[in-house]
Amino acid sequence: MIKKANCMFCHRNCGMLVEVEDGKLTKVRPNPEQKITRGAICIKATAAIEHHYHPDRLNFPLKRVGERGEGKWERINWEQALEEIADKLSVIREADGAESVALGRGTYRTDFWALSRFQHLFGTPNMYTPGQICFCNTWSIHTAIYGACAIAKSVMPGTPPQCLVVWGLNPAESYPPTWKSMLGLKKKGTKIITIDPRRTPPAEAADMWLQIRPQTDGALALAWLNVIINEGLYDKDFVDNWTYGFDKLKKRVQEYPPDRVAEICWIPADQIVESARMYATSKPAIISCGVKLDQIGKNSTHTIQSQCILRAITGNLDVEGGEPFGRTGDITKAIDEIQMELHEKLSAEQRRKQIGADKFKLFTWPGYEMICGPSEGIPHASPPTVNLSCAAHEPSVWRAILSGEPYPIKALIIQANNPMVQSTNTNLVYDALRALDMLVVMDYFMTPTGMLADYILPATGWLERPVVTGIDGTKNFIIAGERAVKPEFERRDDFQLWRGLGLRLGQEEYWPWETLEDCFDYRLEPMGYTLKELADDNGILGPREYKKYEKYGFATPERKVELYSTIFEKLGYDPLPSYEEAPETPVSAPELAKEYPLILTTGGRIKYFYHSEFRQVQSMRKMHPDPILQIHPDTAESLKIANKDWVYVETRFGRVKFEAELFDGIDPRVVHAEHSWWFPEKNAEEPSLHGVWESNVNVLINDDPDHCDPICGGWPHMGLCKVYPVVA
Ligand SMILES: Nc1nc2c(c(=O)[nH]1)N[C@H]1C(S)=C(S)[C@@H](COP(=O)(O)OP(=O)(O)OC[C@H]3O[C@@H](n4cnc5c(=O)[nH]c(N)nc54)[C@H](O)[C@@H]3O)O[C@H]1N2
Ligand SMILES: Nc1nc2c(c(=O)[nH]1)N[C@H]1C(S)=C(S)[C@@H](COP(=O)(O)OP(=O)(O)OC[C@H]3O[C@@H](n4cnc5c(=O)[nH]c(N)nc54)[C@H](O)[C@@H]3O)O[C@H]1N2
Ligand code: SF4
Ligand SMILES: [Mo]
């Protein structure tokens, strides 16, 4: 039997054909007919069956019986787990208010709308996510400026762009199928400009590689605007008719001439000028952004804002071969996630209590309400869900747990998230998790975070649950896949956790669907599909329609692209982009740099792993067994470090060790450390927690809210460090 499923190991959701014999998985291969991903996959999918039957998978609910972190568990059934958790939530809500219960999720891979539905019915505004540092901030900023999100993750058929800017993105590791399409574009003559501190495959393939100093992208974007505006390389018609605030922008960018920015970014001025011209004079063109712009801290929003402005004034928004924009056709009829998450159920009083809403206003309720408002009556608008773009500020949540300010947070339910490895400032996260009255973790495997939990719940993976994506209301397609096999053991769909708690906490009328299949059928029905039919049809793409704004305007307060953002202004922020040096660089912190002279950037993706996942999946781990630090050969020599030596990387927050890789594609003043390292094979119990303190780069990172982006709250994944050999 062959089932059509979607890989959910990452948010690209490639279409798969799954062979099943006698209820057992036998083979997983790409589905070439799936309309969106068209048969492309990456190597992680080849480990799907190994992942599914892995002996370490969590198969039953567990309850802690020993001390926290001691690793003593009792197997219980789901009913007992749900009853006890719901009772505790009820007691906390009664005594301290619903806001004292927080929810946490990782990156987008499962039915998080169900989490939000539970959240809003329960009454807490506090769900943290990695959204502020992973594309969801981008969603908010794009929506504020032009009413929809224009980020190209897949290269669609049709007219190819003439120029592709690969900015802080390394799809060769992070989205291999997209990288393949990009190489295809290059063969057709598309020019590539890559902006990256490291010589990655996109840098090697580029017509121009700008080897930028980390965290200075905001200055570069403003210098491009300076060149494009002063040389008249922008689309005058579009600017005259469809933008707001051009004159003020023009004045602002005069502060960023290429020779000044050259010094900031370590990129020669002539390269800045030439690349700006190349981008602006190649029509159409696409700026394809990676996550690193979200992870530079302080200047992140203004950097992304400048990129939005670049796309707009060069006339690339919503044109064929340019930046894809908004949703069209039948798919807009499906019941999308904004409708499913029922955010109208969360009262204004509870919204005001959201942790971080007083400070980081665009990514919390004050800004969220403003960016969604103008989408009314504009069919192609795609405002993000609360789940994506209206979250509590994670570093502030940890602090609230520890300080009880502005109010106590007593319980945390975490789904598909491993903050002991993925969140910055691990020491603080550890203290916070230990301070909770109740921690519930739902995952595939035991993790360092799970080791600190009171309850561990086993989740089904994408081979044993149906998957529908694109229905979050943000993409111009919907993909559907069936459950290939029944769930193993007592694994349950993530949806069932929220439904199970909801049924026990007075939300019965809002959870009529017994299964996820029933729920998807309900949601697809207005489009005229069942889940099975949509899977059989290999998904659906919205028809290609361009320049939709000519009919409806842009979904912003001014109904134009707001080069000068009235929403930022109303929220009390600078409406125009500017550059601000990050707080921990050799320029802003010369004293600190005396002791910690090297710039540390982290987290470059590894194609065999997904963040902290797959470390126990042997076919992947054997391809990349150890954590790597990239360092320039000259720097290494001066520090007496040879290739493959083990080294310590140290900051004010601690030290962890890596194997050195001498690499001349990185600036001698910069090092790059992989993220997400823990060791499933090492001792699970305290104090080891699967070796989480050994090579976890997030131990080193400062997440001080004052170092975060003031508009969306994004925290930096970079800083200053020193490196020295591990002496045996
Ligand atoms: N195999 C695999 N794929 C993944 C993931 C995974 O863990 N593993 N994670 C998924 C997720 S959640 C995400 S968010 C995406 C992220 O995907 P990408 O955006 O590709 O992420 P990175 O590899 O972290 O960063 C891209 C590049 O940014 C560069 N960089 C570092 N600092 C700076 C800087 O200050 N400025 C600029 N311009 N560039 C800088 C790095 O050198 C790196 O080459 O990948 C997704 N895909
Ligand atoms: N230093 C540094 N830190 C980073 C980054 C960086 O570049 N540098 N990148 C950041 C980014 S962009 C992101 S998105 C975050 C990612 O952070 P996370 O999303 O927390 O990372 P993962 O390790 O992929 O996933 C956490 C857990 O989710 C489980 N899981 C996976 N799928 C499911 C599911 O469907 N259901 C359930 N219940 N569990 C599931 C996995 O088994 C894993 O244990 O990390 C961030 N952390
Ligand atoms: S993990 Fe690989 S195969 Fe799976 S969805 Fe992502 S890119 Fe596609
Ligand atoms: Mo991410």
Side-chain angles (χ1 to χ4, degrees):
M1 188 173 40
I2 295 182
K3 293 275 193 172
K4 287 181 179 173
N6 288 316
C7 177
M8 202 64 169
F9 284 153
C10 92
H11 32 244
R12 197 171 182 279
N13 308 123
C14 299
M16 297 289 177
L17 297 173
V18 183
E19 294 178 22
V20 181
E21 278 170 32
D22 300 328
K24 286 270 160 199
L25 300 164
T26 52
K27 196 168 178 194
V28 172
R29 58 192 161 88
N31 176 3
E33 286 170 7
Q34 208 248 35
K35 293 191 182 102
I36 295 88
T37 56
R38 290 170 281 145
I41 61 163
C42 84
I43 193 155
K44 291 189 292 302
T46 64
I49 296 182
E50 188 182 350
H51 186 273
H52 180 85
Y53 292 121
H54 197 290
D56 297 346
R57 277 288 289 263
L58 295 167
N59 293 322
F60 305 97
L62 300 175
K63 180 181 179 179
R64 172 170 75 83
V65 286
E67 291 296 305
R68 218 180 259 291
E70 207 183 13
K72 292 200 177 130
W73 306 98
E74 173 192 4
R75 180 176 146 189
I76 57 174
N77 62 34
W78 269 94
E79 275 45 54
Q80 183 186 344
L82 291 169
E83 287 293 333
E84 289 182 13
I85 296 165
D87 279 354
K88 183 85 186 170
L89 296 182
S90 218
V91 169
I92 294 173
R93 181 166 58 180
E94 236 1 78
D96 302 283
E99 64 277 11
S100 292
V101 172
L103 310 176
R105 69 154 174 92
T107 189
Y108 215 81
R109 280 162 305 209
T110 182
D111 296 283
F112 288 134
W113 55 267
L115 179 156
S116 296
R117 191 177 181 90
F118 171 82
Q119 175 199 347
H120 295 136
L121 293 167
F122 183 80
T124 176
N126 292 321
M127 169 211 45
Y128 78 72
T129 80
Q132 292 96 330
I133 51 98
C134 178
F135 291 115
C136 302
N137 56 333
T138 293
W139 217 285
S140 305
I141 298 159
H142 284 229
T143 310
I145 292 169
Y146 36 64
C149 190
I151 26 175
K153 273 281 178 59
S154 309
V155 180
M156 287 296 172
T159 309
Q162 295 304 299
C163 178
L164 177 67
V165 183
V166 184
W167 200 326
L169 170 77
N170 181 15
E173 303 285 333
S174 57
Y175 301 102
T178 304
W179 175 230
K180 221 169 132 195
S181 327
M182 286 179 174
L183 287 173
L185 289 179
K186 186 179 157 68
K187 281 208 192 98
K188 287 192 200 145
T190 301
K191 291 185 211 101
I192 296 183
I193 303 171
T194 298
I195 304 166
D196 199 301
R198 300 187 299 154
R199 197 179 61 233
T200 54
E204 275 170 1
D207 295 86
M208 290 194 76
W209 168 37
L210 309 183
Q211 190 177 20
I212 194 164
R213 169 163 73 97
Q215 291 180 292
T216 64
D217 299 83
L220 177 65
L222 283 156
W224 272 22
L225 285 169
N226 173 297
V227 173
I228 291 167
I229 292 176
N230 289 346
E231 295 190 5
L233 303 178
Y234 56 93
D235 182 329
K236 292 189 185 61
D237 265 2
F238 185 86
V239 166
D240 288 347
N241 295 312
W242 292 108
T243 67
Y244 172 78
F246 183 73
D247 292 341
K248 288 180 186 137
L249 173 72
K250 184 170 178 181
K251 197 161 161 239
R252 172 64 60 87
V253 303
Q254 301 315 313
E255 295 169 31
Y256 301 95
D259 48 355
R260 175 179 169 222
V261 169
E263 273 177 38
I264 298 175
C265 298
W266 299 347
I267 301 170
D270 58 340
Q271 281 188 27
I272 297 178
V273 174
E274 197 192 328
S275 54
R277 287 178 185 156
M278 186 185 278
Y279 167 67
T281 57
S282 315
K283 303 271 165 119
I286 287 183
I287 298 179
S288 201
C289 280
V291 79
K292 278 300 168 289
L293 295 319
D294 310 343
Q295 302 184 340
I296 58 179
K298 272 254 184 258
N299 202 223
S300 173
T301 296
H302 277 174
T303 305
I304 295 162
Q305 183 185 14
S306 294
Q307 292 169 330
C308 290
I309 294 173
L310 281 165
R311 292 180 177 102
I313 67 165
T314 52
N316 279 305
L317 276 186
D318 212 12
V319 296
E320 187 167 1
E323 307 281 358
F325 199 79
R327 301 163 76 219
T328 55
D330 278 356
I331 63 166
T332 58
K333 295 184 193 153
I335 298 177
D336 61 25
E337 298 198 359
I338 284 217
Q339 291 160 276
M340 291 304 288
E341 65 184 9
L342 298 180
H343 64 245
E344 63 282 4
K345 297 282 176 196
L346 189 71
S347 69
E349 189 193 343
Q350 288 306 94
R351 289 177 186 195
R352 272 196 297 278
K353 293 182 190 161
Q354 189 177 36
I355 301 277
D358 54 334
K359 217 168 165 187
F360 309 108
K361 294 192 183 138
L362 187 64
F363 204 80
T364 46
W365 276 105
Y368 183 74
E369 285 174 352
M370 281 187 202
I371 63 173
C372 289
S375 65
E376 200 74 12
I378 299 204
H380 64 267
S382 62
T385 57
V386 167
N387 192 283
L388 285 170
S389 288
C390 182
H393 185 243
E394 188 185 325
S396 306
V397 170
W398 305 129
R399 286 165 173 78
I401 294 172
L402 286 168
S403 68
E405 298 293 337
Y407 48 78
I409 292 194
K410 300 221 161 136
L412 175 62
I413 307 182
I414 288 180
Q415 193 169 60
N417 175 223
N418 186 6
M420 277 298 292
V421 186
Q422 295 309 117
S423 301
T424 46
N425 199 350
T426 318
N427 282 292
L428 183 92
V429 175
Y430 172 75
D431 290 344
L433 292 176
R434 287 189 62 95
L436 287 162
D437 285 1
M438 179 173 74
L439 174 63
V440 178
V441 173
M442 183 153 177
D443 205 299
Y444 298 149
F445 289 96
M446 184 57 84
T447 63
T449 306
M451 279 303 295
L452 299 174
D454 298 283
Y455 296 91
I456 298 277
L457 304 171
T460 50
W462 59 268
L463 288 160
E464 52 192 335
R465 75 171 184 240
V467 169
V468 177
T469 59
I471 204 165
D472 55 9
T474 52
K475 303 182 187 75
N476 204 19
F477 59 76
I478 299 181
I479 312 183
E482 287 187 88
R483 229 185 263 270
V485 287
K486 286 205 205 93
E488 298 286 326
F489 305 98
E490 290 180 21
R491 299 179 197 166
R492 281 197 185 175
D493 303 337
D494 288 310
F495 159 83
Q496 296 293 3
L497 167 62
W498 308 111
R499 180 171 187 269
L501 292 177
L503 293 180
R504 288 165 176 82
L505 287 162
Q507 305 175 7
E508 295 87 339
E509 65 179 294
Y510 299 101
W511 299 96
W513 319 279
E514 278 187 20
T515 64
L516 202 43
E517 280 87 345
D518 292 346
C519 183
F520 285 140
D521 282 346
Y522 158 79
R523 295 177 60 187
L524 296 172
E525 201 267 333
M527 222 173 73
Y529 274 99
T530 62
L531 168 71
K532 171 95 175 68
E533 285 163 354
L534 193 57
D536 284 345
D537 257 14
N538 298 302
I540 177 171
L541 267 164
R544 273 185 262 161
E545 287 170 24
Y546 299 106
K547 298 201 174 179
K548 298 179 277 295
Y549 54 84
E550 288 184 343
K551 239 196 223 155
Y552 307 103
F554 288 90
T556 62
E558 292 291 328
R559 288 293 189 252
K560 291 185 171 182
V561 175
E562 296 196 0
L563 307 175
Y564 177 100
S565 169
T566 61
I567 290 182
F568 285 21
E569 187 172 43
K570 279 205 197 85
L571 290 171
Y573 300 115
D574 187 348
L576 290 168
S578 62
Y579 173 70
E580 189 185 348
E581 183 77 18
E584 276 190 28
T585 74
V587 177
S588 57
E591 278 306 308
L592 189 67
K594 279 188 193 148
E595 189 172 355
Y596 301 105
L598 293 166
I599 296 174
L600 169 67
T601 181
T602 72
R605 302 307 187 244
I606 305 167
K607 61 172 168 267
Y608 307 107
F609 303 131
Y610 197 74
H611 297 289
S612 69
E613 296 181 60
F614 296 91
R615 295 298 190 285
Q616 63 282 82
V617 175
Q618 286 314 315
S619 62
M620 297 292 111
R621 179 72 181 279
K622 73 171 191 232
M623 306 301 287
H624 195 112
D626 296 310
I628 304 287
L629 178 89
Q630 287 178 322
I631 184 167
H632 192 277
D634 295 347
T635 314
E637 195 186 358
S638 72
L639 296 169
K640 302 196 170 35
I641 293 166
N643 198 35
K644 290 194 173 292
D645 277 356
W646 282 88
V647 295
Y648 280 118
V649 181
E650 185 175 320
T651 69
R652 280 182 293 160
F653 293 82
R655 69 176 192 183
V656 288
K657 59 185 178 186
F658 292 87
E659 190 183 290
E661 178 189 301
L662 272 48
F663 176 47
D664 65 5
I666 194 164
D667 190 283
R669 295 161 286 186
V670 180
V671 293
H672 170 266
E674 292 175 355
H675 75 313
S676 287
W677 278 95
W678 63 293
F679 303 96
E681 67 277 16
K682 292 195 178 176
N683 242 352
E685 301 81 45
E686 287 268 25
S688 158
L689 299 178
H690 288 294
V692 76
W693 306 105
E694 291 179 24
S695 298
N696 172 7
V697 78
N698 280 327
V699 167
L700 308 180
I701 307 280
N702 186 355
D703 70 337
D704 186 333
D706 288 338
H707 288 205
C708 294
D709 175 76
I711 304 178
C712 285
W715 43 100
H717 290 69
M718 303 168 191
L720 289 171
C721 71
K722 64 178 167 190
V723 177
Y724 51 93
V726 172
V727 186

